[in-house]
Amino acid sequence: MADLHAQAFDAPWGAKAFDDLLDQSGVFALEAADGFILMRVVADEAEILTLAVRPAARQAGLGLRLVEQACVVAVSQGATRLFLEVADDNVTARALYAKAGFTEAGRRAGYYGRRDGSRVDALVLTKTLSQPLP
């Protein structure tokens, strides 16, 4: 996961960060050949911690499939709302999340650092998750 994350992000997480997160209660990952999603569920809220798709495999629907599959898992664990942060300038990811039904709930100024030292705002997005009928 760390190798793929490094291909996808300016400030990648190392293998230890992934190991530490996956050891936490409520954290799960769904993996595909060219991508993965890492999520946390606590009580009735879920959070996408990161979603990475290999650059050569982008624009083929993998990110949306991973989000949809992760939503099913989150609902099965009791989540009714899903949150995430996305860089304001990440037009492709913002389009994916809009297609998945997320809406903007807030902004974190200067949240993400870039390799060139600049900072960009994060948009806080949310989505209501549907619980299956009993």
Side-chain angles (χ1 to χ4, degrees):
M1 280 193 250
D3 290 339
L4 199 152
H5 202 261
Q7 293 176 45
F9 291 98
D10 285 344
W13 301 350
K16 182 167 179 6
F18 283 102
D19 289 342
D20 290 348
L21 282 166
L22 288 165
D23 282 342
Q24 294 179 16
S25 177
V27 175
F28 68 90
L30 299 178
E31 297 180 76
D34 289 315
F36 69 89
I37 188 168
L38 188 67
M39 287 188 52
R40 174 182 9 238
V41 176
V42 177
D44 65 344
E45 292 186 349
E47 176 186 13
I48 295 176
L49 300 171
T50 192
L51 169 65
V53 174
R54 192 174 314 283
R58 291 180 180 162
Q59 302 295 314
L62 176 59
L64 184 59
R65 285 192 306 276
L66 286 167
V67 170
E68 290 170 343
Q69 292 168 358
C71 287
V72 171
V73 174
V75 166
S76 76
Q77 294 182 11
T80 59
R81 269 186 93 187
L82 177 56
F83 293 89
L84 65 90
E85 284 132 355
V86 62
D88 187 30
D89 63 353
N90 190 338
V91 177
T92 303
R94 289 178 59 190
L96 174 134
Y97 293 127
K99 188 172 186 177
F102 286 85
T103 58
E104 188 174 335
R107 178 180 294 266
R108 299 184 197 278
Y111 187 79
Y112 291 109
R114 297 294 190 225
R115 288 185 179 143
D116 66 3
S118 64
R119 306 222 37 104
V120 65
D121 292 355
L123 301 179
V124 179
L125 304 181
T126 188
K127 171 185 172 104
T128 300
L129 299 174
S130 299
Q131 293 291 324
L133 296 173

